[in-house]
Amino acid sequence: GALAAKAKVSVKDDDDEEADQMTRKDIVHMCGQKLWEQFKGVMPVCVFMSGFQVVVLGQPLSEALMIAAALALAIVGLALFNFGLLSGLMPLGEKLGQGLPHAVSQTTLLAIAFMLGVAVTLAEPALSVVKTAGSLITEMKAPYLYSLLHERQDFLVLAVAGGVGASAALGMLRTRHAWSLKRLVYVLVPITLVLSVLVTNFTSRGDVLGLAWDLGAVTTGPVTVPLVIALGVGVAGAGHNTSPLTGFGVVTLASLIPVDFVLVLALLLPHKHGRRPMISSDEGGGPIDAVAWYDDTPWMEVIAGIRALVPLVGLMYVLKMYALKDHHEVLVPVEYKKGKSTYAPVGRGLWAAQVGIIIFNIGLTKGLSKLGAIVGGTTPSAFTKMDQIKGSPLYGAGGGGAMLAAAFVWFLG
């Protein structure tokens, strides 16, 4: 939806014709429309998961009211963030893509594309899902996976960001020289497969493989895809290529190269000589330290949201003002009713994106992730014995229960 509704960049001068003025009723109508769009995307999935938990598995949904409230926050956050993405981040990205090839050398352009790729990944909400999932991993079962999601989480994020940065730089280079995407894919796919085989079969770090490939999908989230494509299309339009299609394909690279970076990081992890026993709260001779205020909701999400967007927006504005030497205010058309639009400054969209990503992160932590953990934790009871669930396996230990669980996951996907 973000790509189809991609906003156009417009710089409005003082003598430009005035756009339609929005009334309070128009604002309410537009907000309701944005919320309804996100509601249609989020709630069917959540209702389906909740129904499977309660009706099919016959298990209660604990903390249902808190989860419902958090899901409402997630919907509001997504609506704000999507508005900010279309009316703030994407117009800035396209403007940079159009202007940078004429303002800087190719080497500088590649360096800027790398930095933007890194910054975009740090702002990716989908990356928060993987980091939140780290709380479900135990060191005894997956020591290297646990290490990446806990002790070395910053290195993991930097590896993914570096992979996307390298993808953006390579994509800009391909766009400038009109290289064939197929040739790049023919090189990158074998490298990724070889690294996967190496990590799985020739080291003890095989528990990281699934995470590495999942992170390749995370980099195609709602921030990375529109901004990277907007930047690529802008560069293609500013170059000498006759086809704008050369601006596409960067997302393919951003799906492969981060996987390679994470697999290389796994190979560089220190060897685990032994698996430390987990110490429970009644062991170890003392109480567990209290969680710091900045590691608890909502402050954790506020800090994460600011760290994600402020560096990206700051970098984009610095490039706009000093590389492009453009000090004009960027205004983008915002359609608030069919056939009617008004101009809004990108700053308004950027504020919406900042507030939205914070609200979404809170809804993600307390709603989406919690619901997924509850349903995912009870789904195996359909086909296997679980001590905490009476009567499991609920649908027999044969193929029936496994097929039911597989069908649930398929429909969920």
Side-chain angles (χ1 to χ4, degrees), residues 149-221:
L149 290 174
H150 290 82
E151 304 160 4
R152 294 176 172 82
Q153 187 179 103
D154 291 339
F155 288 98
L156 177 64
V157 172
L158 289 176
V160 178
V164 176
S167 304
L170 183 58
M172 295 306 103
L173 198 61
R174 168 185 171 265
T175 300
R176 292 295 296 272
H177 296 282
W179 291 346
S180 171
L181 178 63
K182 290 189 293 183
R183 294 181 181 178
L184 293 176
V185 172
Y186 291 158
V187 173
L188 288 172
V189 169
I191 292 176
T192 308
L193 293 177
V194 169
L195 283 172
S196 300
V197 172
L198 177 63
V199 169
T200 305
N201 297 330
F202 297 95
T203 72
S204 57
R205 297 161 172 80
D207 54 354
V208 177
L209 182 65
L211 173 67
W213 281 90
D214 283 345
L215 287 172
V218 164
T219 57
T220 60

Coordinates of all heavy atoms in Angstrom, one line a residue, residues 149-221:
L149 N 21.0 -12.5 20.4 CA 19.8 -11.8 20.8 C 19.8 -11.2 22.1 O 18.9 -10.4 22.5 CB 18.6 -12.8 20.7 CG 18.2 -13.2 19.3 CD1 17.1 -14.3 19.3 CD2 17.8 -12.0 18.4
H150 N 20.9 -11.4 22.9 CA 21.1 -10.8 24.2 C 22.4 -10.1 24.4 O 22.4 -8.9 24.3 CB 20.9 -11.9 25.3 CG 19.5 -12.4 25.4 ND1 19.0 -13.4 24.5 CD2 18.5 -12.1 26.2 CE1 17.7 -13.7 24.9 NE2 17.4 -12.9 25.9
E151 N 23.4 -10.9 24.6 CA 24.7 -10.3 24.9 C 25.3 -9.5 23.7 O 26.0 -8.4 24.0 CB 25.7 -11.4 25.2 CG 25.3 -12.3 26.4 CD 26.0 -13.6 26.4 OE1 26.9 -13.8 25.5 OE2 25.7 -14.5 27.2
R152 N 25.1 -9.9 22.5 CA 25.6 -9.2 21.3 C 24.5 -8.7 20.4 O 24.7 -8.7 19.2 CB 26.6 -10.1 20.6 CG 27.8 -10.5 21.4 CD 28.7 -11.5 20.7 NE 30.0 -11.7 21.5 CZ 30.1 -12.5 22.5 NH1 29.1 -13.1 23.0 NH2 31.3 -12.5 23.1
Q153 N 23.5 -8.2 21.0 CA 22.3 -7.7 20.2 C 22.7 -6.5 19.4 O 22.3 -6.4 18.2 CB 21.2 -7.4 21.1 CG 19.9 -7.1 20.3 CD 18.7 -6.8 21.3 OE1 18.4 -5.6 21.5 NE2 18.1 -7.8 21.8
D154 N 23.6 -5.7 19.9 CA 24.0 -4.5 19.2 C 24.8 -4.9 18.0 O 24.7 -4.2 16.9 CB 24.8 -3.6 20.1 CG 24.0 -2.9 21.2 OD1 22.8 -2.8 21.0 OD2 24.6 -2.5 22.2
F155 N 25.7 -5.9 18.1 CA 26.4 -6.4 16.9 C 25.5 -6.9 15.9 O 25.8 -6.8 14.7 CB 27.5 -7.4 17.4 CG 28.6 -6.9 18.2 CD1 28.6 -6.9 19.5 CD2 29.7 -6.3 17.5 CE1 29.7 -6.4 20.3 CE2 30.8 -5.8 18.2 CZ 30.7 -5.8 19.6
L156 N 24.5 -7.6 16.3 CA 23.5 -8.2 15.4 C 22.8 -7.1 14.6 O 22.7 -7.1 13.3 CB 22.5 -9.0 16.1 CG 21.3 -9.6 15.3 CD1 21.9 -10.6 14.3 CD2 20.3 -10.3 16.2
V157 N 22.4 -6.0 15.3 CA 21.7 -4.9 14.6 C 22.6 -4.2 13.6 O 22.2 -3.9 12.5 CB 21.1 -3.9 15.6 CG1 20.6 -2.7 15.0 CG2 20.0 -4.6 16.5
L158 N 23.9 -4.0 14.1 CA 24.8 -3.4 13.2 C 25.2 -4.3 12.0 O 25.4 -3.7 10.9 CB 26.1 -3.1 14.0 CG 26.0 -1.9 15.0 CD1 27.3 -1.8 15.8 CD2 25.6 -0.6 14.3
A159 N 25.2 -5.6 12.1 CA 25.4 -6.5 11.0 C 24.3 -6.3 10.0 O 24.5 -6.3 8.8 CB 25.6 -7.9 11.5
V160 N 23.1 -6.3 10.5 CA 21.9 -6.2 9.5 C 21.9 -4.8 8.9 O 21.8 -4.7 7.6 CB 20.6 -6.4 10.3 CG1 19.4 -6.2 9.4 CG2 20.5 -7.8 10.9
A161 N 22.2 -3.8 9.7 CA 22.2 -2.4 9.1 C 23.4 -2.3 8.1 O 23.2 -1.7 7.0 CB 22.4 -1.4 10.2
G162 N 24.5 -2.9 8.4 CA 25.6 -2.8 7.5 C 25.3 -3.6 6.2 O 25.7 -3.1 5.1
G163 N 24.6 -4.7 6.3 CA 24.2 -5.4 5.1 C 23.2 -4.6 4.2 O 23.4 -4.6 3.0
V164 N 22.3 -3.9 4.8 CA 21.4 -3.1 4.1 C 22.1 -1.9 3.5 O 21.9 -1.5 2.3 CB 20.2 -2.6 4.9 CG1 19.3 -1.6 4.1 CG2 19.4 -3.8 5.4
G165 N 23.1 -1.3 4.2 CA 23.9 -0.2 3.7 C 24.7 -0.6 2.5 O 24.7 0.1 1.5
A166 N 25.3 -1.8 2.6 CA 26.0 -2.4 1.4 C 25.1 -2.6 0.2 O 25.5 -2.4 -0.9 CB 26.8 -3.6 1.8
S167 N 23.9 -3.1 0.5 CA 22.9 -3.3 -0.5 C 22.5 -2.0 -1.2 O 22.4 -2.0 -2.5 CB 21.7 -4.0 0.0 OG 22.0 -5.2 0.7
A168 N 22.3 -1.0 -0.4 CA 21.9 0.3 -1.0 C 23.1 0.9 -1.9 O 22.8 1.4 -3.0 CB 21.6 1.3 0.1
A169 N 24.3 0.8 -1.4 CA 25.4 1.3 -2.2 C 25.6 0.5 -3.5 O 25.8 1.0 -4.5 CB 26.7 1.2 -1.3
L170 N 25.5 -0.9 -3.4 CA 25.6 -1.7 -4.6 C 24.4 -1.4 -5.5 O 24.6 -1.4 -6.8 CB 25.6 -3.2 -4.2 CG 25.7 -4.2 -5.3 CD1 27.0 -4.0 -6.1 CD2 25.7 -5.6 -4.8
G171 N 23.2 -1.2 -5.0 CA 22.1 -0.8 -5.8 C 22.3 0.5 -6.5 O 21.9 0.6 -7.7
M172 N 22.8 1.5 -5.9 CA 23.1 2.8 -6.5 C 24.1 2.6 -7.6 O 24.0 3.2 -8.7 CB 23.6 3.8 -5.5 CG 22.6 4.2 -4.4 SD 21.0 4.8 -5.1 CE 20.0 3.3 -4.7
L173 N 25.1 1.8 -7.4 CA 26.2 1.5 -8.4 C 25.5 0.8 -9.6 O 25.9 1.2 -10.7 CB 27.3 0.7 -7.8 CG 28.6 0.6 -8.5 CD1 29.2 2.0 -8.6 CD2 29.6 -0.3 -7.8
R174 N 24.7 -0.1 -9.3 CA 24.0 -0.8 -10.4 C 23.1 0.1 -11.2 O 23.1 0.1 -12.5 CB 23.1 -2.0 -9.8 CG 22.2 -2.5 -10.9 CD 21.2 -3.6 -10.2 NE 20.2 -3.9 -11.2 CZ 19.0 -3.3 -11.3 NH1 18.7 -2.4 -10.4 NH2 18.1 -3.7 -12.2
T175 N 22.4 1.0 -10.5 CA 21.6 2.0 -11.2 C 22.4 2.9 -12.1 O 22.0 3.2 -13.2 CB 20.8 2.8 -10.1 OG1 20.0 1.9 -9.3 CG2 19.8 3.8 -10.8
R176 N 23.5 3.4 -11.6 CA 24.3 4.4 -12.4 C 24.9 3.7 -13.6 O 25.0 4.3 -14.7 CB 25.4 4.9 -11.5 CG 25.0 5.8 -10.4 CD 24.4 7.1 -10.9 NE 25.3 7.9 -11.6 CZ 26.1 8.8 -11.1 NH1 26.1 9.0 -9.8 NH2 26.9 9.6 -11.9
H177 N 25.2 2.4 -13.5 CA 25.9 1.7 -14.7 C 24.9 0.8 -15.4 O 25.4 0.1 -16.3 CB 27.1 1.0 -14.2 CG 28.2 1.9 -13.6 ND1 29.0 2.6 -14.4 CD2 28.5 2.2 -12.3 CE1 29.8 3.3 -13.6 NE2 29.5 3.1 -12.3
A178 N 23.6 0.7 -15.0 CA 22.6 -0.1 -15.7 C 23.1 -1.6 -15.7 O 22.9 -2.2 -16.7 CB 22.4 0.4 -17.1
W179 N 23.6 -2.1 -14.6 CA 24.0 -3.5 -14.5 C 22.8 -4.4 -14.5 O 21.7 -4.0 -14.0 CB 24.9 -3.7 -13.3 CG 26.2 -3.1 -13.4 CD1 26.9 -2.6 -14.4 CD2 27.1 -2.9 -12.2 NE1 28.1 -2.1 -14.1 CE2 28.3 -2.3 -12.8 CE3 27.1 -3.2 -10.9 CZ2 29.4 -2.0 -11.9 CZ3 28.1 -2.9 -10.1 CH2 29.3 -2.3 -10.6
S180 N 22.9 -5.6 -15.0 CA 21.8 -6.5 -14.9 C 21.6 -7.0 -13.5 O 22.6 -7.4 -12.8 CB 22.1 -7.7 -15.9 OG 21.2 -8.7 -15.7
L181 N 20.4 -7.0 -13.0 CA 20.1 -7.6 -11.7 C 20.4 -9.1 -11.6 O 20.8 -9.6 -10.6 CB 18.7 -7.2 -11.3 CG 18.2 -7.7 -9.9 CD1 19.0 -7.1 -8.8 CD2 16.7 -7.5 -9.8
K182 N 20.1 -9.8 -12.7 CA 20.3 -11.2 -12.7 C 21.7 -11.6 -12.4 O 22.0 -12.6 -11.7 CB 19.8 -11.8 -14.1 CG 18.4 -11.7 -14.3 CD 18.0 -12.5 -15.5 CE 18.5 -11.9 -16.8 NZ 18.1 -12.5 -18.0
R183 N 22.7 -10.9 -12.9 CA 24.1 -11.2 -12.7 C 24.4 -11.1 -11.2 O 25.2 -11.9 -10.7 CB 25.0 -10.4 -13.6 CG 24.8 -10.6 -15.1 CD 25.7 -9.8 -15.9 NE 25.6 -10.0 -17.3 CZ 26.2 -9.4 -18.3 NH1 27.1 -8.4 -18.0 NH2 26.0 -9.7 -19.6
L184 N 23.9 -10.0 -10.6 CA 24.2 -9.8 -9.2 C 23.6 -11.0 -8.4 O 24.2 -11.5 -7.4 CB 23.7 -8.5 -8.7 CG 24.4 -7.2 -9.3 CD1 23.7 -6.0 -8.8 CD2 25.8 -7.2 -8.9
V185 N 22.3 -11.3 -8.7 CA 21.6 -12.4 -8.0 C 22.4 -13.7 -8.2 O 22.5 -14.5 -7.2 CB 20.2 -12.5 -8.4 CG1 19.5 -13.8 -7.9 CG2 19.4 -11.3 -8.1
Y186 N 22.9 -14.0 -9.4 CA 23.6 -15.2 -9.6 C 24.9 -15.3 -8.8 O 25.4 -16.4 -8.5 CB 24.0 -15.3 -11.1 CG 22.8 -15.5 -12.1 CD1 22.9 -15.2 -13.4 CD2 21.6 -16.1 -11.6 CE1 21.8 -15.4 -14.3 CE2 20.5 -16.2 -12.4 CZ 20.6 -15.9 -13.8 OH 19.6 -16.1 -14.6
V187 N 25.4 -14.2 -8.4 CA 26.6 -14.2 -7.6 C 26.3 -14.3 -6.1 O 26.9 -15.1 -5.3 CB 27.5 -12.9 -7.8 CG1 28.6 -12.8 -6.8 CG2 28.0 -12.9 -9.3
L188 N 25.3 -13.5 -5.7 CA 24.9 -13.4 -4.3 C 24.3 -14.7 -3.7 O 24.6 -15.1 -2.6 CB 24.0 -12.2 -4.0 CG 24.7 -10.9 -4.2 CD1 23.6 -9.8 -4.1 CD2 25.7 -10.7 -3.1
V189 N 23.4 -15.3 -4.5 CA 22.7 -16.5 -4.0 C 23.6 -17.7 -3.7 O 23.5 -18.3 -2.6 CB 21.6 -16.9 -5.0 CG1 21.0 -18.3 -4.6 CG2 20.5 -15.9 -5.0
P190 N 24.6 -18.0 -4.6 CA 25.5 -19.1 -4.2 C 26.4 -18.7 -3.0 O 26.6 -19.6 -2.2 CB 26.4 -19.2 -5.5 CG 25.5 -18.7 -6.6 CD 24.7 -17.6 -6.0
I191 N 26.8 -17.5 -2.8 CA 27.5 -17.1 -1.6 C 26.7 -17.3 -0.4 O 27.2 -17.9 0.6 CB 28.0 -15.6 -1.8 CG1 29.0 -15.4 -2.9 CG2 28.5 -15.1 -0.4 CD1 29.4 -14.0 -3.1
T192 N 25.4 -16.9 -0.4 CA 24.6 -17.1 0.7 C 24.3 -18.6 1.0 O 24.4 -19.0 2.2 CB 23.2 -16.4 0.5 OG1 23.4 -15.1 0.1 CG2 22.4 -16.4 1.7
L193 N 24.2 -19.4 0.0 CA 24.0 -20.8 0.2 C 25.2 -21.5 0.8 O 25.1 -22.3 1.7 CB 23.5 -21.5 -1.1 CG 22.2 -21.1 -1.6 CD1 21.9 -21.8 -2.9 CD2 21.1 -21.4 -0.6
V194 N 26.4 -21.1 0.3 CA 27.6 -21.7 0.8 C 27.8 -21.3 2.3 O 28.2 -22.2 3.1 CB 28.8 -21.2 -0.1 CG1 30.1 -21.6 0.6 CG2 28.8 -21.8 -1.5
L195 N 27.6 -20.1 2.6 CA 27.7 -19.6 4.0 C 26.7 -20.4 4.9 O 27.1 -20.8 6.0 CB 27.5 -18.1 4.1 CG 28.6 -17.2 3.7 CD1 28.2 -15.8 3.7 CD2 29.8 -17.4 4.6
S196 N 25.5 -20.6 4.4 CA 24.5 -21.4 5.2 C 25.0 -22.8 5.4 O 24.8 -23.3 6.6 CB 23.2 -21.3 4.4 OG 22.7 -20.0 4.2
V197 N 25.5 -23.4 4.4 CA 26.0 -24.8 4.6 C 27.2 -24.8 5.5 O 27.3 -25.7 6.4 CB 26.3 -25.4 3.2 CG1 27.0 -26.8 3.4 CG2 25.1 -25.6 2.3
L198 N 28.1 -23.9 5.4 CA 29.2 -23.8 6.3 C 28.8 -23.7 7.7 O 29.3 -24.4 8.6 CB 30.1 -22.6 5.8 CG 31.4 -22.4 6.7 CD1 32.3 -23.6 6.6 CD2 32.1 -21.1 6.2
V199 N 27.9 -22.7 8.0 CA 27.5 -22.5 9.4 C 26.8 -23.7 10.0 O 27.0 -24.1 11.1 CB 26.6 -21.2 9.5 CG1 26.0 -21.1 10.8 CG2 27.5 -20.0 9.2
T200 N 26.0 -24.3 9.1 CA 25.1 -25.4 9.6 C 25.9 -26.7 9.8 O 25.8 -27.4 10.8 CB 23.9 -25.7 8.7 OG1 23.2 -24.4 8.5 CG2 23.0 -26.7 9.2
N201 N 26.7 -27.1 8.8 CA 27.3 -28.4 8.8 C 28.8 -28.5 9.3 O 29.3 -29.6 9.6 CB 27.3 -29.0 7.4 CG 25.9 -29.2 6.9 OD1 25.0 -29.5 7.7 ND2 25.6 -29.0 5.6
F202 N 29.5 -27.4 9.3 CA 30.9 -27.4 9.7 C 31.2 -26.6 10.9 O 32.4 -26.4 11.3 CB 31.7 -26.9 8.5 CG 31.6 -27.7 7.3 CD1 30.7 -27.4 6.3 CD2 32.4 -28.9 7.1 CE1 30.6 -28.2 5.1 CE2 32.3 -29.7 6.0 CZ 31.3 -29.3 5.0
T203 N 30.2 -26.0 11.6 CA 30.4 -25.3 12.9 C 29.3 -25.8 13.8 O 28.4 -26.5 13.5 CB 30.4 -23.8 12.7 OG1 29.1 -23.4 12.4 CG2 31.3 -23.4 11.5
S204 N 29.5 -25.3 15.1 CA 28.4 -25.6 16.1 C 27.4 -24.4 16.2 O 26.7 -24.3 17.2 CB 29.1 -25.8 17.4 OG 29.9 -24.7 17.8
R205 N 27.4 -23.5 15.2 CA 26.6 -22.3 15.2 C 25.3 -22.5 14.4 O 24.8 -21.5 13.9 CB 27.4 -21.1 14.8 CG 28.6 -20.8 15.7 CD 29.6 -20.0 15.0 NE 30.7 -19.5 15.9 CZ 31.7 -20.3 16.3 NH1 31.8 -21.5 15.9 NH2 32.6 -19.8 17.2
G206 N 24.9 -23.7 14.1 CA 23.7 -23.9 13.3 C 22.4 -23.3 13.8 O 21.5 -23.0 13.0
D207 N 22.4 -23.0 15.1 CA 21.1 -22.4 15.7 C 20.9 -21.0 15.2 O 19.8 -20.4 15.4 CB 21.2 -22.5 17.2 CG 22.4 -21.9 17.8 OD1 23.3 -21.5 17.1 OD2 22.5 -21.8 19.1
V208 N 21.9 -20.4 14.6 CA 21.8 -19.0 14.1 C 21.2 -18.9 12.7 O 20.8 -17.9 12.2 CB 23.2 -18.3 14.2 CG1 23.1 -16.9 13.6 CG2 23.7 -18.3 15.6
L209 N 21.2 -20.0 12.0 CA 20.8 -20.0 10.5 C 19.4 -19.4 10.3 O 19.2 -18.6 9.5 CB 20.9 -21.4 10.0 CG 20.6 -21.5 8.5 CD1 21.6 -20.8 7.6 CD2 20.5 -23.0 8.1
G210 N 18.4 -19.9 11.1 CA 17.1 -19.4 10.9 C 17.0 -17.9 11.1 O 16.3 -17.2 10.4
L211 N 17.6 -17.5 12.2 CA 17.6 -16.0 12.5 C 18.2 -15.2 11.3 O 17.7 -14.2 10.9 CB 18.4 -15.8 13.8 CG 18.6 -14.3 14.1 CD1 17.3 -13.6 14.5 CD2 19.6 -14.1 15.2
A212 N 19.3 -15.7 10.8 CA 20.0 -15.0 9.7 C 19.0 -14.8 8.5 O 18.9 -13.7 7.9 CB 21.2 -15.7 9.2
W213 N 18.3 -15.9 8.1 CA 17.4 -15.8 7.0 C 16.2 -15.0 7.3 O 15.6 -14.3 6.4 CB 17.0 -17.2 6.5 CG 18.1 -17.8 5.7 CD1 19.1 -18.6 6.1 CD2 18.3 -17.7 4.3 NE1 19.9 -19.0 5.1 CE2 19.4 -18.5 3.9 CE3 17.6 -17.1 3.2 CZ2 19.9 -18.6 2.6 CZ3 18.0 -17.2 1.9 CH2 19.1 -17.9 1.6
D214 N 15.7 -15.1 8.5 CA 14.5 -14.2 8.9 C 14.9 -12.7 8.9 O 14.1 -11.9 8.5 CB 14.1 -14.6 10.4 CG 13.3 -15.9 10.4 OD1 12.9 -16.3 9.3 OD2 13.1 -16.4 11.5
L215 N 16.1 -12.4 9.2 CA 16.5 -11.0 9.2 C 16.6 -10.5 7.7 O 16.5 -9.3 7.5 CB 17.9 -10.8 9.9 CG 17.8 -10.9 11.4 CD1 19.2 -10.9 12.0 CD2 17.0 -9.8 12.0
G216 N 16.8 -11.4 6.8 CA 16.7 -11.0 5.4 C 15.3 -10.5 5.0 O 15.1 -9.6 4.2
A217 N 14.3 -11.1 5.7 CA 12.9 -10.7 5.4 C 12.6 -9.4 6.2 O 11.8 -8.6 5.7 CB 11.9 -11.8 5.8
V218 N 13.2 -9.3 7.4 CA 12.9 -8.1 8.2 C 13.3 -6.8 7.5 O 12.7 -5.8 7.6 CB 13.6 -8.2 9.6 CG1 13.7 -6.9 10.3 CG2 12.9 -9.2 10.5
T219 N 14.4 -6.9 6.7 CA 14.9 -5.7 6.0 C 13.9 -5.3 4.8 O 14.2 -4.3 4.2 CB 16.3 -6.0 5.4 OG1 16.2 -7.1 4.6 CG2 17.3 -6.2 6.6
T220 N 12.9 -6.0 4.6 CA 11.9 -5.6 3.6 C 10.7 -5.1 4.3 O 9.5 -5.3 3.9 CB 11.5 -6.8 2.7 OG1 10.9 -7.8 3.5 CG2 12.7 -7.3 1.9
G221 N 10.9 -4.4 5.4 CA 9.8 -3.9 6.2 C 9.2 -2.6 5.7 O 9.6 -2.1 4.7

